[in-house]
Amino acid sequence: MVSSLDRAVLVTGASRGIGRACALDLARRGFQVFAGVRDEADGRALAAASPAITPLPLDVTKPNDIAAAADAVDAGTADRGLWGLVNNAGMVVGGPLEYLPLPALREQFEVNVIGQLALTQALLPDLRRARGRIVNMSSVSGRVSSAFSGAYSASKFALEALSDALRRELRPSGVDVVVIQPGAFRTDIWATARDRARRLSGGLPAAARRHYGQVLDAIDDVRAPDGAGDPGQVARVVARALTRRRPRTRYVVGADARLGVLASVLLPDRVLDAVLAFRNRAPPAKR
């Protein structure tokens, strides 16, 4: 195990959910934690929860925020460098690809892919000094693409590809890259996805309602599944990725994620299509 003593980590998307759980868990383990937040109140709450946490205003789609965060990390770590970057910030765009507004697809990639790489680029000098680690928060959706979550899945597939390339490019520098692939967990991402889906569906043409009416209704009311796990489970795996001397390149977290990955490996595409269609079937129309 790698000692957390005097090691610094930056966690993005730390306001709530998995990111907040990671920041608190790493602080308890003795890490110096920089917590990227978009809301000052969330930052104050994290700082009050642990003196080891320093909140940073950070929207990964804003170059000025990224530059300021990099300066703060550089000043706060000095010659030690940054041991860990946990690229957790993300969002979900759902809906049928046939009618998905292209600006929504671009936003999906700006947050989940381009923003992740932009922040990584800015912090690599500090990561090189520490011979540290990059932990990218992917998803089981980065392995299995389901109907009506194509934009989100595409962004996670892209993050997986970037992670593999970065790991191979950075190998000579001693900087490692690890991917976390969670399944469903109880976080606010479900509520924000639901709100965004309702806004998007309100602007769709009448034809979209004719073709996908029941599906759109289901997406507009999407909620965490009954079996969704606690975010602390993911936080513990992130800590493992940061502290093991030789971490895995990928960690699948949650029974549903493990089942999804296994199905994607074992089942022919047409069979997997049928399984996913049955699982995601729209509810009967209400009368």
Side-chain angles (χ1 to χ4, degrees), residues 160-234:
E160 296 269 348
L162 289 181
S163 299
D164 282 342
L166 265 177
R167 188 180 67 254
R168 290 158 186 161
E169 291 172 6
L170 296 175
R171 185 180 180 190
S173 71
V175 175
D176 203 358
V177 181
V178 178
V179 172
I180 310 294
Q181 298 172 334
F185 285 84
R186 296 189 300 273
T187 72
D188 287 352
I189 199 169
W190 300 93
T192 56
R194 184 168 62 247
D195 292 342
R196 187 174 290 106
R198 289 173 179 173
R199 291 195 301 272
L200 286 175
S201 65
L204 296 180
R209 180 63 55 181
R210 289 198 303 272
H211 294 145
Y212 302 108
Q214 287 187 328
V215 169
L216 291 174
D217 289 341
I219 294 172
D220 288 354
D221 197 37
V222 66
R223 299 176 189 278
D226 291 339
D230 185 281
Q233 182 182 352
V234 184

Side-chain angles (χ1 to χ4, degrees), residues 7-27:
R7 292 187 185 271
V9 177
L10 170 60
V11 181
T12 67
S15 293
R16 52 186 61 86
I18 290 173
R20 189 174 196 275
C22 287
L24 293 171
D25 182 79
L26 291 170

